[in-house]
Structures are given as structure tokens and as C-alpha cells.
Amino acid sequence: LTNNIDLGRENWNPIKNFEGTFDGADYTISNLKVNTEGNASAGLFASVKGYVKNLTVKDADIKGHYKTGVIVGDGLCSRIENCHVENAKVLVTPYEKDYANHVGGIVGYLSAEREAYVKGCSVKNAEITAYRDVAGVVGTANQTAEVSGCTVENVTVTADQTSEYKEVKDSNAGAIVGRI
């Protein structure tokens, strides 16, 4: 980025299949609104296979059904560093009695590649609700992915298992990571 961007709460179409490097250059994107249909990944980026760094997202309202994060929904081999979320509401509900999982304040799902990581990120003043695999920073991190140096402040994480779901599953909710 070369400037701060105000998205004006207009519905944002998440960027799909991003490969490469996105450097926010310590700028801020504000008033991000995402409302996806079906089992599509949701966030500023729907899916990333690359590097996202030095970005702040403020005043976000994200609604989805699967693999949802304010910055990245599906982090396939992603490296996410020095990214921050402030004042966000993330609500993920089941789609056709399934999904509503892999939900985080920064990234929903962080894949299996050894170089995948989330480092030095923070989430502040947020409400994050999903059926399961939900957390303040990373909803699900594969065992080989690294999550380090991340913080949450005034973040409410809720595993809402009152919705009808295909089968009973563990809630897997946490402050930083929901499920490893």
C-alpha cells in the first residue's frame, strides 16, 4: 500500500488465490465489510499462497461460513507477519449443516507447509464467533505451521455449538490458536 484506505463499509469481494507478496507498508485499511455466501473463504483475502505483512485492518465486519479471518480466510502455505486487527466483528455460521469452522482474527486456516507462519500479529477489541476451530489469531494451524509472538487484547472468542451441525465435533476454541 502507499496510503491508508477507507473501504466505506461497502461489501468487499475477497481477493481469491493471491500468490506473491502484499506489503501494507504499515498503512491501514478501514471499514472492511465482507459477507460471503456458501462455503467460500472470507476475509480481505479469501485465499493466499504467499506473504502478507505490515498491515492494519480497523473496523471490520466479516460474515462467512467457512475458513474466515479478517485478513486471510485460507492461508495455503502463507506467511503472515506484523499484521494487526482492531475493532472487528467476525460471525461464521453453518452452511448446509456443515462448515462454520477454521475462523480467526488474523487467519482462519493456516496450512501444512513448513514455511507457513503467523508472527508478530495482534488482535484488539474483537468479537469472533464460529461453530468450532475458532480463536483470536488463527482458527486452525497445521502442526508444522508456526504461530509466534502474537497477542490478543479485549477479544471475545465464542464456539457457538447451538446451531444444527452435520455431526458432533469438539469446539477447539482458544485465545491465540483454536486447533493445531
Side-chain angles (χ1 to χ4, degrees):
L1 293 180
T2 58
N3 281 306
N4 293 326
I5 296 174
D6 185 341
L7 295 174
R9 295 229 177 258
E10 296 293 323
N11 201 41
W12 174 259
N13 188 13
I15 299 166
K16 296 178 184 176
N17 304 316
F18 179 82
E19 293 187 28
T21 299
F22 179 88
D23 186 349
D26 295 320
Y27 287 106
T28 298
I29 295 174
S30 58
N31 296 308
L32 171 65
K33 179 182 175 185
V34 175
N35 190 0
T36 60
E37 298 294 324
N39 65 351
S41 297
L44 177 66
F45 293 91
S47 53
V48 170
K49 186 176 183 179
Y51 191 30
V52 179
K53 62 183 180 176
N54 307 321
L55 175 66
T56 298
V57 176
K58 288 185 180 178
D59 303 316
D61 183 7
I62 314 291
K63 293 179 182 169
H65 302 287
Y66 185 58
K67 291 185 180 176
T68 299
V70 174
I71 295 177
V72 177
D74 187 2
L76 177 63
C77 310
S78 290
R79 294 171 309 281
I80 302 169
E81 190 167 9
N82 192 35
C83 289
H84 310 282
V85 171
E86 297 179 23
N87 307 322
K89 184 172 183 176
V90 180
L91 176 62
V92 177
T93 56
Y95 169 74
E96 294 183 353
K97 298 182 184 179
D98 211 347
Y99 303 106
N101 55 348
H102 309 306
V103 180
I106 298 290
V107 60
Y109 183 83
L110 187 61
S111 86
E113 296 300 319
R114 290 195 187 281
E115 64 269 5
Y117 63 77
V118 175
K119 295 180 182 178
C121 295
S122 67
V123 178
K124 182 177 179 180
N125 302 325
E127 295 177 23
I128 304 167
T129 303
Y131 184 84
R132 67 185 183 103
D133 304 339
V134 56
V137 178
V138 179
T140 300
N142 188 279
Q143 293 175 1
T144 60
E146 178 185 351
V147 179
S148 63
C150 296
T151 62
V152 294
E153 181 182 334
N154 194 31
V155 174
T156 302
V157 174
T158 304
D160 180 1
Q161 297 203 313
T162 59
S163 299
E164 191 173 345
Y165 203 77
K166 192 174 187 176
E167 59 188 79
V168 176
K169 302 204 178 185
D170 292 335
S171 60
N172 301 320
I176 303 293
V177 178
R179 178 169 62 130
I180 296 175

